[in-house]
Amino acid sequence: MRTVVLAAALAGLLAGGAGAAPLAAHPAAEAQALDLAEKAIALRSVAGPGNKTPEVAALYKSALVAGGFAPDDVTITPVDDTAYLIARWRGSDPKLGPLVIYGHMDVVEAKPADWKRDPFTPVVENGYLFGRGAADMKLDGTLAIAALVELKREGFRPRRDIVIEFSGDEETRMKTSAIIADKLSGADLVLNIDGGGGNLSETTGAPEYFTWQGAEKTYADFQLVVTNPGGHSSAPRKDNAIDQLAAALVRIGQYQFKPELSDLTRAYFVKAADHEPPEIAAAMRAFAANPADAGAIATLTANPSTIGKIGTTCVATMISGGHALNALPQRAEANINCRIFPGHKPAEIMADLQRVAAEPAVSFTDVTEGSVPNDPSPMRPDFIAAVTKALGATYPGVPVFPSMASGASDSMWFRYHHVASYGASPMFMKPSEDFSHGLNERVPLANLRPAIDYYLVLLPELAK
Ligand SMILES: [Zn+2]
């Protein structure tokens, strides 16, 4: 309980700094979110032997049922060594497509020997919750559960069904993610609480801006193979599998896909420029005005955090070839990993690479696993209004704008079914404190109060 008081005090300071409106506190929801997150962190929900994801599902189910969900409306489905959970709060109008809240229960492996504290023992210290999954995304999940329970406690009645679902293998195979998206493809909108979020200033710790993720790149792997009859290395032939593959890879490495701008990335660059150092900011503004601006392209390409936002990128990630020191290679192969700008199909990008490689001996095969092509979600005015209202109530004056992820998220499974999906976690962090997937993962507890407030405004808006 002491930790909750501390968190509430921190939240008050934080919100006070931004001039927050006086929203009522919801101590029961804040305490429940933290308590459930601590219990969930203690369950080692890592893929493989001893995977405790089904126990996390049981924990979440018991909290939802105790909070008023009908037991039959909360289902846990085992899949291999994991499980997924779908809980439905029935709305008054069954004809409306449900609002889906998406999260996951599994976490990335953590080696206790490398951590300062045991990764699977939750620790609250100096205003942070430490543990594997603290940031990605056990507290995020339990905040949403606690907010739903609070809405039930307050007597809220949604018009459309609210479905909260948790996948069980987001960090590995995404098999349950694909199953869930298939089952819920009639959703009106998906709120992905494992994406988007707010930035805290590195220097002052004050909230700087919030982005909602409305698009992501499509992930693809292409295998390049050259085969050759081979022979004795003392009698070289003109066609050598390694030479041919190497020449193709060099040409692909030198190629830059045409930079692109979408409505969403334009909105991002214009707003994000206000929070960047002068050189990057100028390049963002110039690129937003003219995506053919060579100077802007050069600057944004040289910057690791923007190169992925201005177009498709493809890069060689693996190579192997030959079978003996003294033999002509019979086979050489490489993997090209692409992050495709929304709106393009992998086949189109593979054809581009084939043309650039200009080496007929190299065969190209799409070997992508665990990913589906997806287009951006529309910039839906009802969602933008709702998220802006929820942020305005919790962090007044903090800019809200869209972003595109350079990596992949589970939103792709829904976007693949043409269901609008938006990453919009209420968690605010300093970029330097994001230790998701890494060592000593932690999350600032100052998020507790505003996150609950955010959901209490956002969910009723979206479930209207
Ligand atoms: Zn995650």
Side-chain angles (χ1 to χ4, degrees), residues 20 115 118 239 256 259 266 317 323 349 359 377 416 438 449 451:
W115 282 52
D118 178 57
D239 53 340
Q256 183 175 22
R266 183 184 296 107
T317 53
H323 58 283
I349 299 303
E359 175 49 83
S377 294
Y416 177 69
R449 180 177 172 184

Side-chain angles (χ1 to χ4, degrees), residues 228-442:
N228 189 287
H232 201 287
S233 64
S234 63
R237 8 180 332 143
K238 259 200 138 19
D239 53 340
N240 176 300
I242 291 175
D243 293 351
Q244 288 165 317
L245 179 65
L249 291 176
V250 167
R251 285 190 281 270
I252 288 171
Q254 287 166 344
Y255 180 70
Q256 183 175 22
F257 284 84
K258 187 168 177 265
E260 293 180 69
L261 194 63
S262 65
D263 287 348
L264 190 142
T265 59
R266 183 184 296 107
Y268 168 79
F269 284 126
V270 167
K271 295 275 188 73
D274 294 342
H275 309 278
E276 294 289 339
E279 194 201 355
I280 303 289
M284 284 180 161
R285 293 191 182 101
F287 185 74
N290 172 19
D293 186 312
I297 292 167
T299 302
L300 298 176
T301 300
N303 178 12
S305 67
T306 48
I307 182 172
K309 297 190 192 303
I310 62 168
T312 296
T313 60
C314 291
V315 60
T317 53
M318 292 183 78
I319 186 165
S320 67
H323 58 283
L325 293 176
N326 55 2
L328 298 175
Q330 290 165 11
R331 183 183 173 92
E333 63 177 72
N335 186 74
I336 301 282
N337 178 243
C338 295
R339 306 300 180 125
I340 301 171
F341 198 83
H344 300 282
K345 294 279 175 275
E348 175 195 338
I349 299 303
M350 193 172 86
D352 284 346
L353 292 176
Q354 231 160 340
R355 178 179 49 76
V356 170
E359 175 49 83
V362 181
S363 74
F364 282 70
T365 311
D366 185 338
V367 293
T368 308
E369 280 179 21
S371 177
V372 282
N374 65 100
D375 290 334
S377 294
M379 307 243 296
R380 257 173 62 170
D382 58 339
F383 171 75
I384 296 173
V387 76
T388 305
K389 183 176 171 184
L391 253 295
T394 46
Y395 296 97
V398 171
V400 178
F401 52 93
S403 68
M404 176 180 78
S406 305
S409 81
D410 260 0
S411 284
M412 72 176 150
W413 303 105
F414 290 99
R415 292 186 182 130
Y416 177 69
H417 289 291
H418 306 289
V419 177
S421 181
Y422 304 99
S425 156
M427 219 58 97
F428 274 71
M429 309 232 294
K430 290 181 184 175
S432 66
E433 287 188 338
D434 182 5
F435 300 115
S436 304
H437 297 204
L439 287 176
N440 305 316
E441 183 177 349
R442 63 185 180 177

Side-chain angles (χ1 to χ4, degrees), residues 52-116:
K52 290 198 171 158
T53 305
E55 289 172 53
V56 178
L59 173 74
Y60 290 178
K61 176 170 180 168
S62 67
L64 287 163
V65 171
F69 278 72
D72 289 350
D73 285 342
V74 187
T75 59
I76 296 173
T77 310
V79 177
D80 305 331
D81 70 339
T82 187
Y84 64 89
L85 176 149
I86 297 181
R88 187 177 292 264
W89 180 354
R90 294 183 189 278
S92 56
D93 187 348
K95 292 190 299 294
L96 298 176
L99 162 65
V100 171
I101 303 168
Y102 162 82
H104 64 86
M105 299 177 285
D106 57 314
V107 295
V108 174
E109 176 64 295
K111 293 230 158 64
D114 300 338
W115 282 52
K116 218 177 131 199

Side-chain angles (χ1 to χ4, degrees), residues 188-258:
D188 171 60
L189 185 148
V190 175
L191 183 68
N192 182 343
I193 57 172
D194 191 32
N199 254 53
L200 298 178
S201 159
E202 291 288 355
T203 46
T204 66
E208 268 186 324
Y209 61 86
F210 176 90
T211 62
W212 51 270
Q213 193 253 68
E216 67 187 71
K217 310 283 280 289
T218 293
Y219 178 106
D221 284 311
F222 302 121
Q223 185 189 48
L224 279 56
V225 177
V226 186
T227 55
N228 189 287
H232 201 287
S233 64
S234 63
R237 8 180 332 143
K238 259 200 138 19
D239 53 340
N240 176 300
I242 291 175
D243 293 351
Q244 288 165 317
L245 179 65
L249 291 176
V250 167
R251 285 190 281 270
I252 288 171
Q254 287 166 344
Y255 180 70
Q256 183 175 22
F257 284 84
K258 187 168 177 265

Side-chain angles (χ1 to χ4, degrees), residues 104 136-137 170-171 194 437:
H104 64 86
D136 186 13
M137 57 152 289
E170 192 267 353
E171 302 290 7
D194 191 32
H437 297 204

